[in-house]
Amino acid sequence: MKAKDKVKVASFPSANPFTTKWSGAPPNETEEEAQVRVKLMQEAVRVSKEIDQSLNEARKAIEKKKKAFKVLLLGQSESGKSSVLKNFQLAFAPKHFEEERAIWKIIVQLNLIASIRTILDALKDEYETPSVPQPTPTESSLRGPAHNLRRIRLGFSPLFFIETNLIKILSPDISDPRELCVRAGSGWKELLGHRGKRAADGQESNDRPRSQTVINNENDPTNVLSAQKGDIIALWEDQTVQDILRKRGIRLEDQSGFFMNDVARIATPEYQPTDSDIIRARIRTVGVEEHHFLVERGVDANSDFYITDVGGTRSQRASWVPYFDDVQAILFLAPLAFNQSLEEDSRVNRLEDSLTLWRDICGNKLLATANLILFFNKKDVLNATLAAGVSVKKFVPSYGNLPNDVPHVTKYFKEKFRNYHRKMSPMARPFMCYETSAIDITSMAVLLMGVRESILRQHLRDGDII
Ligand SMILES: Nc1nc2c(ncn2[C@@H]2O[C@H](COP(=O)(O)OP(=O)(O)OP(=O)(O)O)[C@@H](O)[C@H]2O)c(=O)[nH]1
Ligand SMILES: [Mg+2]
């Protein structure tokens, strides 16, 4: 404080205008009049403070609204929509992601059991189709799966029993007893022990121990998996098994929820899923799920995320339309799976289906002003497929004699998607396309941060924020 100011204060020891008569008081003011005047002034100050506070809150609300991020994930089934959602959560709300870690354990275990079942089904088809000449069994640890198939199936039957029970609990209204999927809002995470919301005391929610969930001694696969670890590894590493899978065109490695190379790590009593396991775990979405969470750290802490994830099978696509309103952007997932067909209709090529779907989305009038962002997802699968020598031309004759490598294949299909985007969009909009691999958590985090920034910037530019 300067010396001059000090002098000023010293001259008026009780310089509070509300308690002194001298400050602005009319001459001859009575004691009662002074009290009324002071009360009025106090009231005015209170009202002014309230106005300041609500202005402040309104400003904060506008800031928060500006940073609220609303996207819709679209694409065919298994394109990676739910995986992108998990990546968003991991990058922006890691505590929220952490809270769900325990429930993914059972999904990984079920994915593993499903792969074992696929192998045994392939062996059964092989050995029970009389016209097919049988391969010579190897001297594997299984001593020839052809002769031991029944014994092997019997050995794994406790696992399949557990699998059937768990699927019945998790997907009670799904007709296929082998299909692992959950209806939106069915509370499957709560069934598996996740409390969902923070506890009332404000403490962070921890997942309940398995003893307090639907998982009990009878349907917990942990011990059975641990006991059969050696058998599972032997089955997967058996040369005859590998030959049969190859011969029947079954590439388990390319299928969703593939964990057969991780059995030694997963089939143990202590197993806890890693981040990567959670992203790679597969559970089909049925219906439409609306997810809301808050950014947990950084300058945007507490900003809202609204992500709508949908089931991508053909029969579910009509249910997407009501969600086309009020989104800032659509993230469209299209894996370049040129050699695969849809699970729900094996006559339809996956890539062709993605292109048709993209064309419809681009041409949809309800989405005329929406930002469309295309993710060519599963680029790791494309790399592996091309590296394995699978010819694009064989599946897409129009590809002709172009080189069978990643840059040419990507460029070729990018042009196809770009053309539909240009031709079908009711009004011009930028074509945004990224090559992604949703299982590459680090690259995804960087990409998703950039995508969020650009969507929010575009949203502001479009003047949606007042
Ligand atoms: N290798 C690889 N696997 C991926 C990639 N993206 C997703 N996956 C896996 O593919 C499977 C399907 O992914 P999801 O995210 O469940 O697919 P979805 O689009 O939500 O499918 P629906 O819910 O049926 O509509 C999961 O096992 C994922 O881990 C990727 O880029 N590379
Ligand atoms: Mg999904």
Side-chain angles (χ1 to χ4, degrees):
M1 191 180 282
K2 292 178 195 160
K4 209 168 121 200
D5 297 334
K6 266 188 200 158
V7 172
K8 235 184 185 174
V9 173
S11 335
F12 304 104
S14 59
N16 184 337
F18 305 128
T19 53
T20 53
K21 261 178 117 183
W22 64 267
S23 63
N28 309 325
E29 185 181 45
T30 65
E31 195 63 34
E32 289 79 39
E33 286 168 340
Q35 275 174 8
V36 170
R37 181 174 54 77
V38 167
K39 271 216 171 88
L40 284 174
M41 287 175 80
Q42 282 172 331
E43 180 60 11
V45 168
R46 190 188 62 76
V47 170
S48 155
K49 270 189 184 157
E50 259 180 28
I51 291 171
D52 280 353
Q53 198 177 340
S54 60
L55 277 176
N56 222 358
E57 275 164 16
R59 235 187 325 269
K60 274 191 196 153
I62 290 173
E63 276 307 307
K64 197 163 156 60
K65 195 176 168 205
K66 271 189 205 167
K67 288 179 181 171
F69 179 75
K70 289 185 191 173
V71 295
L72 175 60
L73 297 164
L74 297 183
Q76 66 189 195
S77 186
E78 289 191 62
S79 54
K81 300 178 293 298
S82 302
S83 311
V84 168
L85 166 75
K86 288 183 222 168
N87 274 288
F88 268 120
Q89 289 172 334
L90 187 56
F92 292 94
K95 273 193 214 150
H96 179 98
F97 185 89
E98 188 57 40
E99 284 166 14
E100 295 190 354
R101 186 175 300 278
I103 63 165
W104 288 105
K105 175 175 174 180
I106 199 86
I107 306 299
V108 172
Q109 291 172 324
L110 282 169
N111 287 168
L112 192 56
I113 299 172
S115 292
I116 300 170
R117 189 160 39 75
T118 304
I119 296 175
L120 295 189
D121 285 351
L123 295 182
K124 184 165 174 271
D125 288 348
E126 182 72 15
Y127 295 121
E128 290 183 2
T129 311
S131 58
V132 178
Q134 296 186 3
T136 314
T138 59
E139 278 301 307
S140 69
S141 55
L142 294 165
R143 303 204 189 289
H147 303 291
N148 293 315
L149 184 55
R150 198 163 297 132
R151 185 183 62 77
I152 297 168
R153 287 197 81 88
L154 211 63
F156 285 121
S157 59
L159 269 186
F160 298 138
F161 178 75
I162 289 174
E163 181 197 32
T164 310
N165 277 346
L166 282 172
I167 291 181
K168 253 189 233 153
I169 294 170
L170 291 173
S171 324
D173 53 349
I174 305 293
S175 52
D176 184 349
R178 295 165 143 205
E179 170 84 69
L180 178 58
C181 53
V182 278
R183 247 174 232 295
S186 63
W188 67 280
K189 290 183 176 174
E190 279 74 18
L191 269 179
L192 289 178
H194 177 54
R195 285 185 182 142
K197 303 252 176 331
R198 304 233 158 187
D201 58 6
Q203 296 296 305
E204 272 171 31
S205 103
N206 292 314
D207 288 303
R208 280 173 271 169
R210 282 193 169 190
S211 57
Q212 290 174 30
T213 73
V214 294
I215 307 299
N216 54 37
N217 276 345
E218 272 177 26
N219 59 23
D220 187 345
T222 307
N223 289 338
V224 185
L225 277 173
S226 309
Q228 297 203 285
K229 180 163 74 178
D231 292 340
I232 303 170
I233 294 174
L235 178 74
W236 176 236
E237 291 182 350
D238 187 89
Q239 194 50 51
T240 308
V241 169
Q242 288 295 330
D243 292 344
I244 291 171
L245 290 176
R246 194 170 315 111
K247 190 174 121 197
R248 304 187 79 82
I250 300 171
R251 273 185 56 85
L252 270 183
E253 300 84 333
D254 295 345
Q255 290 183 7
S256 302
F258 172 75
F259 290 101
M260 289 303 281
N261 284 340
D262 301 285
V263 176
R265 180 173 61 83
I266 292 173
T268 63
E270 304 79 31
Y271 170 64
Q272 284 304 324
T274 62
D275 291 351
S276 163
D277 291 346
I278 296 174
I279 301 284
R280 284 163 52 215
R282 164 67 174 159
I283 186 159
R284 186 155 75 82
T285 311
V286 178
V288 177
E289 291 178 354
E290 293 179 278
H291 296 262
H292 173 224
F293 54 90
L294 299 175
V295 176
E296 285 171 6
R297 57 188 178 201
V299 281
D300 292 344
N302 285 325
S303 316
D304 296 281
F305 255 76
Y306 298 92
I307 299 187
T308 306
D309 183 19
V310 301
T313 51
R314 293 186 137 195
S315 59
Q316 299 188 70
R317 294 177 191 170
S319 66
W320 298 354
V321 180
Y323 299 87
F324 287 176
D325 250 2
D326 195 31
V327 285
Q328 295 160 348
I330 286 175
L331 300 189
F332 187 97
L333 283 278
L336 296 182
F338 64 85
N339 61 334
Q340 291 175 17
S341 55
L342 291 181
E343 203 176 290
E344 63 267 33
D345 187 346
S346 59
R347 293 163 306 174
V348 180
N349 177 283
R350 272 189 179 275
L351 184 51
E352 223 167 87
D353 176 69
S354 267
L355 257 171
T356 315
L357 186 54
W358 171 251
R359 189 195 62 198
D360 294 348
I361 294 294
C362 289
N364 191 306
K365 292 202 172 64
L366 292 174
L367 297 172
T369 57
N371 287 309
L372 299 183
I373 302 175
L374 177 60
F375 280 10
F376 277 160
N377 194 35
K378 301 200 177 183
K379 71 172 176 190
D380 57 304
V381 177
L382 177 70
N383 289 350
T385 310
L386 293 175
V390 184
S391 152
V392 180
K393 186 182 167 186
K394 191 174 147 206
F395 294 90
V396 186
S398 63
Y399 189 73
N401 290 325
L402 286 169
N404 211 60
D405 60 24
V406 176
H408 285 89
V409 173
T410 311
K411 185 164 176 266
Y412 179 81
F413 289 112
K414 194 184 264 189
E415 275 317 300
K416 283 196 176 289
F417 278 83
R418 190 201 301 275
N419 281 342
Y420 276 137
H421 181 267
R422 195 178 46 234
K423 275 196 218 146
M424 302 304 294
S425 290
M427 53 181 90
R429 56 184 150 189
F431 177 71
M432 284 174 277
C433 175
Y434 301 93
E435 290 149 45
T436 59
S437 175
I439 56 168
D440 180 351
I441 296 169
T442 316
S443 312
M444 278 308 273
V446 176
L447 176 76
L448 294 183
M449 285 180 192
V451 165
R452 174 176 179 264
E453 272 298 313
S454 81
I455 292 176
L456 289 181
R457 233 179 298 121
Q458 179 71 36
H459 179 53
L460 285 175
R461 259 204 305 275
D462 290 348
D464 287 324
I465 297 297
I466 25 157

